[in-house]
Amino acid sequence: MPLDRRLTLSATLLAVLAGVVPATAAEAAAAPFSARAAQTAAPAPTPDLEAVTQALKNTTAVGAPGAMVRITGSGAPLTSAVGVQDRTTGAAMDLKGRFRIGSVTKSFSSVVLLQLVDEGKLSLDAPVNQYLPGLLPDDRITVRHLLTHRSGLADYTNAMFDQTVPGFEAVRNKVFTYQELVALSLREPRTTEPGVSYKYSNTNFVVVGMLIEKATGHGVAKEYERRIIKPLKLKNTSYVHPSTEIKGAHLHGYLHPDEAGAPLVDSTEQTVSWAQSAGAMISNAADLNTFMSALLGGKLLAPRMLDAMLTMTPTDATNTRFYGLGLRRYDLSCGTSVYGHTGTVQGFYTYAFATRDGKRSLAAVANTSNKGEANTALGGTLEGAFCGKKAPAAAPAAAPAQRGFALLPALTAAPAEQDLPEHGSR
């Protein structure tokens, strides 16, 4: 029975705790829907665009300059946008504009790697060191452990961005090698024994990028292009590392400093070399809709590989959030499960999710980061997009407004995933 996960805006300061669940028990409890079987569930209800728009307004009310969403699967795409994409010019959010998608890149990387597994060039349960000899300190760490965030490799971004703006400015124009990023991780204690529990780490997908390049002899940019971007005709999707430019019409991203009241930092241009195959891709809302619908619809992976990707284990104590192979699952309050990924990169929060059959998809973005309340508010778009209109609820007792701001309706969203360290709410 779905849990009621209604949270008020004040609850968004709570962090999501990663679950410590043995892999075997968790996988048995959360086996995937078969990629070969047609969905028999009723179609998703008509999106509640009013609720989705309110979630966007909630997002800008707590600090995002702008926010927008694009929903497919109910006839013509449904769109909504609030706020501005450029604080200097005041230009409104451009629904066709490109932006940095952060950790949604992990789903692209997983698709490429799983295609390589299907081609016999890699094995999910082989040690990483079999393909990259001597890279990791533990021969028990497998390829599957990387994709499921169960390797125990520390996330180097925790130390790198312990101070948000100084950390960002130190790497804004820097170019790292994969080996340098792995070395940063290995300076830190490992978080768990291999395979024991979920612990999100960007290091895992840096190593995934290394595996892709070792198996193919090509840079990841070429493999993204050949295996995903060209087949799906994703004209606004690219991997330009180490170039700092977002070409064409694009949103400006704004980073919140840790200090309350400090001015926002325009973080649009950067190498994103600190992330690479873990988070450096650029896309737009329409392309993300296409990608997630194609992935869940079975157009990118063989059935057995999609089944493997959808073998999910819990990541929080409520058992409403799960992680597979580079893919998240959220169980919404109406009983609908959606699959995709969240993304955080300096200046941008992204949600890209679809139903299991790929027929309904959502892409939402806010042009800010290090502002957890905004990230959680943006996640409220999922309920309106996939659950439709809710029955009216009794109005809660009125509470006094704070600092002259009007109170916003309660959010139907759990606290956001922290794909990068968040310090702005301390």
Side-chain angles (χ1 to χ4, degrees):
M1 186 176 196
L3 297 176
D4 184 0
R5 298 185 290 113
R6 296 176 180 273
L7 300 175
T8 60
L9 192 60
S10 62
T12 63
L13 301 180
L14 296 174
V16 177
L17 298 176
V20 180
V21 183
T24 52
E27 287 169 7
F33 294 108
S34 173
R36 290 174 287 275
Q39 288 290 87
T40 57
T46 301
D48 183 350
L49 194 58
E50 182 180 357
V52 169
T53 300
Q54 183 61 59
L56 298 180
K57 291 178 179 178
N58 291 342
T59 305
T60 57
V62 291
M68 65 186 190
V69 68
R70 187 177 190 271
I71 303 164
T72 64
S74 297
L78 299 176
T79 61
S80 184
V82 300
V84 299
Q85 69 177 23
D86 187 329
R87 297 176 72 240
T88 300
T89 66
M93 292 290 278
D94 179 1
L95 287 158
K96 296 181 179 179
R98 298 181 177 103
F99 48 89
R100 300 191 186 280
I101 66 173
S103 287
V104 181
T105 301
K106 291 179 172 66
S107 296
F108 283 79
S109 297
S110 291
V111 166
V112 173
L113 189 138
L114 289 171
Q115 287 182 0
L116 293 170
V117 170
D118 196 46
E119 294 164 11
K121 295 177 181 176
L122 295 168
S123 172
L124 284 174
D125 295 310
V128 172
N129 283 348
Q130 177 178 318
Y131 305 110
L132 300 168
L135 178 70
L136 302 181
D138 192 331
D139 287 337
R140 297 175 297 167
I141 298 174
T142 67
V143 176
R144 190 188 301 272
H145 291 152
L146 300 177
L147 294 175
T148 57
H149 292 293
R150 290 175 174 269
S151 69
L153 295 171
D155 192 341
Y156 58 86
T157 64
N158 291 334
M160 184 179 284
F161 301 124
D162 181 59
Q163 293 183 302
T164 301
V165 173
F168 167 64
E169 294 295 1
V171 300
R172 182 199 282 261
N173 295 304
K174 190 167 182 177
V175 178
F176 291 93
T177 65
Y178 284 128
Q179 289 82 357
E180 286 173 331
L181 296 175
V182 173
L184 290 174
S185 169
L186 297 182
R187 292 178 187 174
E188 308 293 331
R190 281 190 279 162
T191 59
T192 182
E193 291 293 304
V196 171
S197 62
Y198 169 91
K199 185 66 174 177
Y200 191 89
S201 175
N202 286 290
T203 309
N204 291 318
F205 279 80
V206 167
V207 180
V208 167
M210 298 177 76
L211 287 169
I212 290 170
E213 296 195 350
K214 182 66 178 289
T216 64
H218 302 139
V220 292
K222 183 170 184 177
E223 294 303 316
Y224 295 143
E225 186 78 20
R226 184 169 74 88
R227 295 171 179 271
I228 302 174
I229 294 172
K230 283 188 176 179
L232 296 182
K233 297 181 172 64
L234 305 180
K235 296 181 180 179
N236 291 287
T237 302
S238 59
Y239 180 87
V240 300
H241 174 267
S243 173
T244 62
E245 183 183 6
I246 304 178
K247 294 183 179 179
H250 63 272
L251 316 183
H252 281 248
Y254 297 95
L255 178 60
H256 273 82
D258 297 340
E259 301 76 25
L264 301 184
V265 174
D266 189 322
S267 53
T268 309
E269 293 197 354
Q270 57 165 307
T271 62
V272 202
S273 193
W274 61 265
Q276 298 188 49
S277 51
M281 292 192 76
I282 294 165
S283 192
N284 75 351
D287 278 7
L288 290 180
N289 287 145
T290 299
F291 170 66
M292 284 300 173
S293 289
L295 173 56
L296 273 299
K299 295 180 180 178
L300 289 173
L301 292 173
R304 73 184 187 96
M305 290 293 98
L306 187 54
D307 279 348
M309 194 178 204
L310 294 170
T311 299
M312 300 276 176
T313 55
T315 65
D316 70 350
T318 69
N319 278 358
T320 58
R321 293 183 174 190
F322 301 80
Y323 205 91
L325 304 184
L327 204 67
R328 297 190 187 280
R329 181 182 113 202
Y330 289 168
D331 293 350
L332 304 180
S333 66
C334 60
T336 296
S337 294
V338 293
Y339 302 79
H341 217 290
T342 52
T344 301
V345 64
Q346 289 89 354
F348 300 98
Y349 288 130
T350 302
Y351 285 74
F353 283 84
T355 50
R356 173 59 191 86
D357 58 10
K359 292 180 180 179
R360 170 76 55 80
S361 69
L362 167 143
V365 62
N367 57 342
T368 197
S369 67
N370 198 43
K371 191 69 172 178
E373 301 97 318
N375 196 5
T376 295
L378 186 67
T381 59
L382 293 169
E383 290 279 338
F386 294 103
C387 290
K389 286 190 177 296
K390 296 182 181 295
Q402 301 279 329
R403 291 188 290 276
F405 288 104
L407 292 175
L408 297 169
L411 295 176
T412 308
E417 306 283 358
Q418 291 195 10
D419 294 337
L420 277 183
E422 295 274 2
H423 303 301
S425 299
R426 292 189 304 195

